Amino acid sequence: MTDIVDAESLSPKRAQAHALPGATHQTSVYVYEAPVRLWHWINAAAILVLALTGFFIGRPLPTMPGEASANFLMGYIRFTHFTAGYILAIGFLFRFYWSFVGNFHAKQLFRLPLNDPEWRKEVLFELRWYLFLEKRPKKYVGHNPLAQVAMFIFMTLGLTFMIVTGFALYAEGSQRGSWQDMLFGWVIPLVGQSYDVHTLHRLGMWFILTFIIIHIYVAIREDIMSRQSIVSTMISGDRTFKDDDPD
Amino acid sequence: MKPTETFYEVMRRQGVTRRSFLKFCSLTATALGLGPSYMSEIAHAMETKPRTPVIWLHGLECTCCSESFIRSAHPLVKDVVLSMISLDYDDTLMASAGHQAEAALQDTIERYKGNYILAVEGNPPLNEDGMFCIIGGKPFVDQLRHAAENAKAVISWGSCASHGCVQAARPNPTQATPVHKVITDKPIIKVPGCPPIAEVMTGVITYMLTFDRLPELDRTGRPKMFYSQRIHDKCYRRPHFDAGQFVESFDDEGARRGYCLYKVGCKGPTTYNACSTVRWNEGTSFPIQAGHGCIGCSEDGFWDKGSWYARLQNIQQFGIEANADKIGATVAAGVGGAVAVHAAISALKRAQIKRQSVAENEENV
Ligand code: HEM
Ligand code: SF4
């Protein structure tokens, strides 16, 4: 990292920044590779579509006028849900694959370094920062450790849960013997019956929506209050730092 | 009753003609979804196989399964099946009573050790050592265990035996327990429903008696031929579901037009049974055809799964009247509120720090 900083500070722009007293100094690191960024936005769009269509699967829109054969509203809503579901599931599998071949930051979503005492301390530090108990936030190149825990619980576990229950419900429509049934047919007997799986799937939606509220808020807040860029990083891939101080 | 008597002999003795017998065989083949060639196979099996005795026990129940069974569509099927199984012991239907009846049970168990089929209607309550259901002076659970010990296979008739049903609904004071949780060492066929459809019952038992093996079962032990699809998969109102045309409340225009009952709580999309194909009372109708949503009576715990008139399940763990949307929206609103407060404090803190640094800068100047 240091050599990046050095190289950056040699650029004319940096030199100028140095020259101006009181101006914020910016250094930048490439964090999120293109596939990770692409996945992030596809995943976000898929979740949005899934939540919207899913909501109306459980609480359908008002009755359509006309002949049954002239309408297919519920059919289209469900079709959209299933298509977005496939996109989400395939994207998630790809993202898992990328956690093996991608850079260090690509691994964070799937592996928590729970055995690392240093990392555990950082989680607590971040917790104190959000509780206004720390004056100055730390700099992080990837996710901050608390964000990493949240990502793991809501996305890695949450999406796995939605995909497993989603395909279990899908198997009911694709019938016994379909590959969805062979792979996920065990879910409904495990839970007890289909109705409960619907309810869990629906609760899962609210779980993920709750995460999205927190996620968007924290991303914007950190963008303003922390010492690194957040929102633009998921677009350009570059993490820029607002100062040059160590840690 | 000699043990070597065949099904066919029993039927003839009961006055069933050869012609009726063959009709029965083809009807059965059709009901089981088998090809026409199976008709002769069934006939052959019936003519050569010694009759398999059936012991029919009644635990904690309402007897709706028996009521359904004796109303099987084709009178022929009913007569034949009844004579076929001849109910060596069925304390509701048989002629004998008291000690005589108990002796008949013991007699059958001993005579056909390992060869009889045990059909159980209702379930055993286990609380207070099973005192909530006494048969012949003893807890039903003892009779069940005793009869199951030498049975070839067990049929769990109805939702009581299969899942527990109403007597096992919360808070289940008698600790009514489905059969498979008490008898764990025998093959068990679950035929859920409250009650199961008559043709499903006769179909299952005919299959077992003629082919001398269990029907193919799904993951939860139900015969695949009747329980592998949902009501929703074969419902004649399904086009209205896909179109998005719903009954919004009973007696509205949609109800008169026969729209889909999803919004008024139909459990067809989550219920595995044959009602939408086989129907009831000689194929006359079934609940949805009569304008009422499916209540999901063949699904585990259907009494406790919230209103029969709402699509979203009532989640009891969270107190009165909660469903996924109410819980979810409450949590989301709570988190949203917390975020707003957090944002406000953050802004204040930031302003404070700015003011401080400005003050510091001014001091330095
Ligand atoms: C973030 C991801 C997802 C969200 C938020 C979501 C949301 C929902 C919701 C709210 C429902 C309605 C449940 C009800 O009230 O009965 C639903 C139903 C369903 N979802 Fe998802 N879902 C997600 C992922 C998936 C995936 C990956 C699949 C797999 C293809 C899937 C397949 C289904 C199916 C088959 C149904 C039942 C449709 C029906 O009953 O007609 N879902 N989903
Ligand atoms: S009435 Fe019930 S089973 Fe029939 S289509 Fe509507 S929801 Fe499905």
Side-chain angles (χ1 to χ4, degrees), chain B residues 231-233 235-239 241 246 259-262 266-269 288 293-294:
Chain B
I231 304 299
H232 191 61
D233 291 319
C235 177
Y236 78 104
R237 297 193 184 207
R238 181 65 187 263
F241 172 85
F246 302 102
Y259 286 172
C260 166
L261 296 153
Y262 187 73
C266 179
K267 301 294 179 285
I288 291 166
C294 164

Side-chain angles (χ1 to χ4, degrees), chain A residues 78-92:
Chain A
R78 293 175 69 246
F79 175 76
T80 312
H81 191 83
F82 305 155
T83 309
Y86 268 105
I87 291 173
L88 179 100
I90 293 167
F92 190 70

Side-chain angles (χ1 to χ4, degrees), chain A residues 50-60 81 161-162 165-166 169 195-209, chain B residues 262 311-313 315 323-329:
Chain A
L50 281 162
L52 203 68
T53 51
F55 183 82
F56 289 118
I57 289 173
R59 283 177 186 273
H81 191 83
F161 180 80
M162 291 312 278
T165 52
L169 295 177
Y195 198 22
D196 281 349
V197 180
H198 274 267
T199 303
L200 290 173
H201 194 69
R202 204 171 178 88
L203 282 172
M205 169 184 77
W206 287 106
F207 182 72
I208 286 175
L209 287 183
Chain B
Y262 187 73
R311 161 70 196 137
L312 299 184
Q313 186 175 329
I315 302 171
N323 62 35
D325 281 2
K326 280 185 196 155
I327 294 165

Side-chain angles (χ1 to χ4, degrees), chain A residues 55-76 78 129-132 135 169 171-176 181-186 188-189 192-199 202-203 205-206 209-210 213-214 217 221 224-226, chain B residues 218-220 222 224 227-230 232-233 238-248 259 262-263 267 269-272 299-301 305 307 310-315 318 323-329 331-332 335-336 339 342-347 349-350 353 356:
Chain A
F55 183 82
F56 289 118
I57 289 173
R59 283 177 186 273
L61 292 159
T63 286
M64 299 299 291
E67 250 197 287
S69 60
N71 293 288
F72 197 57
L73 183 64
M74 202 63 181
Y76 286 130
R78 293 175 69 246
W129 156 239
Y130 283 113
L131 291 173
F132 308 107
K135 271 228 169 68
L169 295 177
E172 298 195 286
S174 62
Q175 309 285 310
R176 296 255 149 86
D181 177 54
M182 312 260 219
L183 281 181
F184 299 100
W186 50 272
I188 289 175
Q193 23 66 22
S194 158
Y195 198 22
D196 281 349
V197 180
H198 274 267
T199 303
R202 204 171 178 88
L203 282 172
M205 169 184 77
W206 287 106
L209 287 183
T210 304
I213 297 175
I214 300 173
Y217 165 64
R221 178 181 188 267
I224 299 170
M225 298 190 52
S226 78
Chain B
D218 68 5
R219 287 186 181 86
T220 58
R222 299 171 296 192
K224 275 187 180 169
Y227 293 92
S228 61
Q229 282 188 315
R230 297 168 296 172
H232 191 61
D233 291 319
R238 181 65 187 263
H240 292 299
F241 172 85
D242 290 331
Q245 297 180 318
F246 302 102
V247 175
E248 307 280 345
Y259 286 172
Y262 187 73
K263 277 191 174 177
K267 301 294 179 285
T270 52
T271 303
Y272 288 82
E299 290 295 312
D300 196 357
K305 300 295 173 199
S307 171
R311 161 70 196 137
L312 299 184
Q313 186 175 329
N314 195 1
I315 302 171
F318 292 89
N323 62 35
D325 281 2
K326 280 185 196 155
I327 294 165
V331 171
V335 169
V339 160
H342 198 271
I345 299 175
S346 302
K349 279 259 171 191
R350 193 172 159 77
I353 290 169
Q356 272 172 1

Side-chain angles (χ1 to χ4, degrees), chain B residues 79-99:
Chain B
D79 289 346
V80 171
V81 173
L82 278 180
S83 63
M84 226 160 72
I85 62 175
S86 111
L87 302 176
D88 292 316
Y89 180 85
D90 179 330
D91 45 19
T92 336
L93 292 178
M94 67 189 181
S96 53
H99 291 299

